[in-house]
Amino acid sequence: MTETIEFQAEARQLLQLMIHSIYSDKDVFLRELISNASDALDKLRMESYRDKDLGVDTSDLHVELRTDADARTLTITDNGIGMSRDDVVNLIGTIARSGTAETLSKLREAQASGSEEATAELIGQFGIGFYSSFMVADRVEMTTRRAGTDGGVHWESAGEGTYELSEVADAPQGTSITVHLKAEDAEDNLHDYADPSVVRRIVKRYSDFITWPILLNPSGVADTVVEGAEDDESTPDTSNEPINSRKALWARPRSEVSDEEYAEFYRHVSHDWQEPLETMRFTGEGTFEYQALLFLPGHAPMDLYYRDAKRGVQLYVKRVFVMEDCEALVPEYLRFVKGVVDAQDLSLNVSREILQQDRQIQLIRKRLVKRVLQTITGLRSENAEKYETFWRECGRALKEGLLSDQDNTQAILEASSFASTHDPEQLTTLADYVARMPEGQESIYYVTGESRASVENSPHIEAFRAKGYEVLLLTDQVDEVWVGMVPSYGTGEDAKPFASIAQGDVDLSDDAEKPEGFDDLLGWMTTTLADDVSEVRLSTRLTTSPACLVGEVGGLPPQLEQMMRSMGQEVPVQKRALELNPKHPLVENLKAAHEARPEDAGVADTASLLYDMALLAEGGELKEPSAFVGKLAQRLAATLPTE
């Protein structure tokens, strides 16, 4: 006897909203049905362990996919746990046992607001992957029998207002779902799911690593054999070989996976033609379980610094593909990391396409980041050549984490390397820098600039080099920013603060007495150059250059200030101090000339030239280049002999 049952009014509306609004890719209906079949097989195996009297055969558990081009049907069959009539009514006949007007109202409000997060939070309450089949079907039939019972049940619906239930006496154990397909529609991305090649493609993308074998049109099944079609290219695939690889490398013992297999898998997930630089494999256990297989690239991805570049790792849940680029698991500064994370239990929305932000995701992310940083740091001591390759290709991106990941600041610093005055070619770690610090040095000195050549010739570095103080040479754009955000390296009493040699007033002089007689010159120059400098003072950081410009501690470096202006940001003009080298002949002569001819315009021009020279020495841009050239020409002309 066939029984017709109505959906609740709200449930009917909710079903239509789900079918037509949630899934962005119609192919996922097959992923959902295969995933449900895989779950049924898992449940049967577990139930057979618990109930020895169940009397079921678990030696050939599998999923069958059968296509029929003439009837335009796709049938998904499993010999798993199956369902009783009550199971069908409770699990299939209703939408997660929830069809209230309140839920529908909230979902509509979320959709109207355009908030994907709000929608995902609501639809995550429902487990209705089965209903995604109505995106591609005019009608769906299901025959099922629960293991250990005698009678089966047949369910059928067009996804409208009702569904039909009837008893089936001779139903095989498990579940068989027949999808009566809609016509192919390329504009609506509705493919021909009765085409075995289309089915194979979807399985390869979404369900390739499912534990159980997936058979496509297996031989021995009567309705898949087309009589007299031996020579027809459209003959269904009658092979008994699974179309899914079932080779989840992350789930196999490492001893059973070759380097070639890892390399091939890396190429698959990264679309890179080279081998990975390093393979990372680890397992999370405890309150939640996951497996991860990650890779460091041998060269920087072409889109590493593109604003719209995709990032993240592939996410699987119980070997079912869920997301291609899961950004929630990998921070942006580790966007070069590729691989797979396979979780056993995560909070997903109904379409499995949008990951809900929850504690599990955050914990997995935290552990992934920690392990990647440990691997990078370990490479330096275990394989220096690999580390140098990684740092050359991706080091700049890694340092971006110093701007955004305060929890891992010290770990990122440990994994980083920097150019310094200690060695003209080799990079140094901060730990080695600190170990070489002479007695009395309390800070880690650094200087920023556009290139190593420019900062090595900077006037600011002269006295530090003369005193034997090592200086970090930071030339990446990101360096201009993070040094202002990271106060120190190390923790507790061992922490060493970072100090810019181009900021603040430092005293590197060994002289017991400071130079005298410069007060009038300094005061006059401060007034004369008031539009450009905050003050003029004597310097102990200069040994050969006549002057340099020094910013205030915590102020914007000139390179960063220029960068921000080029991006259209309004930055207040920051005046810096002009420091003079009292032992330089030009400064000594300027002092004498000012004492002898304080009103001479030529003396004022020389003071202005001194400021311009300091600006050019650090790579700055002159406000009035033509005025500088004119003053310089006059000064040079005055020094040439007239005879």
Side-chain angles (χ1 to χ4, degrees):
M1 184 182 74
T2 300
E3 181 181 3
T4 301
I5 303 175
E6 276 197 28
F7 287 112
Q8 295 177 8
E10 294 85 0
R12 184 165 60 249
Q13 298 174 49
L14 188 60
L15 172 60
Q16 291 301 308
L17 189 58
M18 289 288 180
I19 292 172
H20 299 296
S21 302
I22 299 305
Y23 291 90
S24 59
D25 183 355
K26 293 180 173 58
D27 289 354
V28 300
F29 89 93
L30 185 54
R31 177 192 70 182
E32 295 295 312
L33 296 182
I34 292 176
S35 179
N36 290 343
S38 176
D39 290 343
L41 296 172
D42 288 335
K43 291 176 181 177
L44 178 64
R45 185 174 60 176
M46 293 302 299
E47 189 66 23
S48 67
Y49 291 154
R50 287 193 293 262
D51 185 359
K52 300 300 182 182
D53 298 326
L54 189 61
V56 296
D57 182 10
T58 59
S59 62
D60 185 30
L61 300 180
H62 61 275
V63 179
E64 293 181 3
L65 306 178
R66 288 175 287 168
T67 60
D68 188 329
D70 294 334
R72 290 207 50 75
T73 61
L74 172 63
T75 302
I76 300 92
T77 303
D78 69 76
N79 54 349
I81 191 68
M83 289 180 283
S84 65
R85 184 185 186 282
D86 289 343
D87 291 334
V88 172
V89 172
N90 290 330
L91 299 177
I92 304 298
T94 61
I95 300 178
R97 303 180 187 178
S98 176
T100 65
E102 179 184 1
T103 302
L104 178 59
S105 175
K106 288 183 179 180
L107 185 57
R108 280 176 170 166
E109 290 176 4
Q111 291 255 323
S113 69
S115 171
E116 291 187 2
E117 293 183 2
T119 305
E121 184 177 352
L122 283 171
I123 63 179
Q125 302 171 26
F126 304 98
I128 60 168
F130 169 81
Y131 284 93
S132 64
S133 57
F134 286 103
M135 291 189 302
V136 302
D138 292 322
R139 182 165 53 94
V140 177
E141 293 183 73
M142 178 179 66
T143 301
T144 183
R145 177 172 69 84
R146 186 174 181 82
T149 63
D150 295 330
V153 62
H154 180 81
W155 181 98
E156 184 173 348
S157 176
E160 298 294 340
T162 63
Y163 60 91
E164 295 180 352
L165 280 180
S166 59
E167 295 181 358
V168 180
D170 57 349
Q173 172 197 304
T175 301
S176 179
I177 299 171
T178 298
V179 181
H180 295 264
L181 298 165
K182 297 177 180 178
E184 184 179 0
D185 186 349
E187 292 185 0
D188 194 29
N189 292 321
L190 188 62
H191 303 125
D192 184 4
Y193 300 107
D195 182 348
S197 64
V198 173
V199 172
R200 184 185 293 272
R201 172 183 60 78
I202 297 172
V203 171
K204 190 67 177 176
R205 179 184 182 189
Y206 288 110
S207 306
D208 196 42
F209 302 121
I210 291 286
T211 305
W212 308 106
I214 301 173
L215 309 178
L216 177 59
N217 295 324
S219 59
V221 181
D223 59 0
T224 65
V225 179
V226 180
E227 186 176 353
E230 290 83 356
D231 298 326
D232 189 347
E233 293 182 359
S234 63
T235 301
D237 184 345
T238 57
S239 169
N240 283 326
E241 290 297 320
I243 60 174
N244 59 322
S245 70
R246 305 170 63 194
K247 293 182 179 180
L249 299 188
W250 57 88
R252 293 164 56 190
R254 185 159 194 146
S255 59
E256 297 181 5
V257 184
S258 66
D259 291 341
E260 290 75 16
E261 287 180 295
Y262 279 133
E264 184 61 32
F265 185 74
Y266 167 73
R267 296 187 187 100
H268 170 69
V269 298
S270 68
H271 309 293
D272 186 7
W273 56 274
Q274 293 189 4
E275 294 187 359
L277 185 71
E278 186 70 8
T279 300
M280 299 169 282
R281 177 174 169 172
F282 45 98
T283 301
E285 299 177 348
T287 56
F288 59 94
E289 299 180 359
Y290 67 91
Q291 294 171 310
L293 177 59
L294 306 180
F295 302 93
L296 293 179
H299 64 97
M302 293 182 62
D303 59 355
L304 184 61
Y305 298 105
Y306 289 2
R307 177 183 293 242
D308 299 326
K310 292 183 178 180
R311 63 179 175 86
V313 296
Q314 291 186 357
L315 176 64
Y316 286 74
V317 176
K318 296 181 180 178
R319 300 195 187 183
V320 177
F321 178 77
V322 173
M323 190 178 297
E324 180 71 29
D325 302 292
C326 183
E327 297 182 357
L329 288 173
V330 178
E332 188 172 4
Y333 70 91
L334 294 182
R335 56 189 176 276
F336 48 80
V337 174
K338 302 298 181 182
V340 167
V341 173
D342 186 1
Q344 293 302 305
D345 184 22
L346 285 177
S347 297
L348 304 174
N349 74 353
V350 61
S351 68
R352 305 189 185 203
E353 291 180 303
I354 303 173
L355 207 59
Q356 291 182 0
Q357 297 300 314
D358 62 11
R359 181 173 176 272
Q360 290 187 7
I361 289 296
Q362 295 304 317
L363 287 176
I364 294 177
R365 174 190 173 111
K366 184 176 181 180
R367 294 179 183 179
L368 293 184
V369 170
K370 181 178 180 181
R371 183 60 180 269
V372 170
L373 293 177
Q374 288 176 342
T375 299
I376 294 172
T377 303
L379 273 182
R380 188 167 44 228
S381 57
E382 297 168 6
N383 194 321
E385 184 177 351
K386 278 189 176 182
Y387 175 81
E388 290 173 4
T389 299
F390 164 79
W391 190 255
R392 180 177 64 253
E393 297 292 332
C394 303
R396 183 154 56 100
L398 180 67
K399 286 190 290 185
E400 292 175 12
L402 296 171
L403 311 179
S404 58
D405 191 352
Q406 295 182 354
D407 293 337
N408 290 294
T409 295
Q410 295 303 317
I412 296 172
L413 289 176
E414 289 288 355
S416 300
S417 292
F418 307 91
S420 83
T421 54
H422 176 71
D423 192 295
E425 297 181 357
Q426 297 297 320
L427 303 180
T428 184
T429 66
L430 292 179
D432 290 341
Y433 179 103
V434 171
R436 291 191 294 265
M437 286 172 55
E439 184 178 355
Q441 182 180 344
E442 298 297 331
S443 301
I444 298 175
Y445 295 120
Y446 71 86
V447 61
T448 61
E450 294 184 356
S451 67
R452 177 165 186 146
S454 65
V455 295
E456 277 189 317
N457 295 319
S458 168
H460 302 94
I461 211 169
E462 294 171 357
F464 290 87
R465 182 184 284 115
K467 297 294 183 182
Y469 290 157
E470 184 177 352
V471 179
L472 299 181
L473 309 176
L474 308 180
T475 57
D476 290 330
Q477 287 187 345
V478 67
D479 294 330
E480 298 280 4
V481 186
W482 75 258
V483 290
M485 300 177 62
V486 180
S488 61
Y489 164 69
T491 58
E493 297 180 355
D494 296 328
K496 299 294 183 182
F498 290 101
S500 170
I501 65 171
Q503 290 183 340
D505 190 4
V506 298
D507 187 0
L508 300 178
S509 175
D510 291 332
D511 298 336
E513 297 182 0
K514 300 293 183 182
E516 296 181 354
F518 283 86
D519 291 345
D520 289 344
L521 175 67
L522 298 179
W524 170 75
M525 288 187 66
T526 298
T527 302
T528 302
L529 302 175
D531 291 341
D532 298 309
V533 302
S534 59
E535 67 170 316
V536 180
R537 64 194 183 207
L538 296 183
S539 175
T540 61
R541 73 183 85 216
L542 297 173
T543 59
T544 58
S545 297
C548 68
L549 289 166
V550 179
E552 297 300 323
V553 175
L556 283 179
Q559 293 83 5
L560 181 57
E561 184 179 345
Q562 183 178 353
M563 186 193 315
M564 294 175 68
R565 284 203 176 95
S566 67
M567 296 169 62
Q569 300 186 36
E570 293 186 5
V571 182
V573 176
Q574 297 188 90
K575 295 181 181 180
R576 290 179 291 158
L578 178 65
E579 290 194 354
L580 305 181
N581 179 0
K583 297 181 180 180
H584 194 280
L586 178 56
V587 176
E588 291 178 341
N589 291 340
L590 179 61
K591 173 178 174 291
H594 175 259
E595 291 174 350
R597 304 183 303 279
E599 303 299 329
D600 189 342
V603 177
D605 285 345
T606 302
S608 177
L609 284 173
L610 199 58
Y611 165 77
D612 290 339
M613 291 166 58
L615 187 61
L616 289 173
E618 66 176 19
E621 296 182 359
L622 300 176
K623 289 191 298 184
E624 298 181 12
S626 59
F628 170 77
V629 172
K631 294 176 184 178
L632 181 60
Q634 290 179 357
R635 293 293 92 198
L636 290 175
T639 62
L640 294 176
T642 57
E643 296 182 2

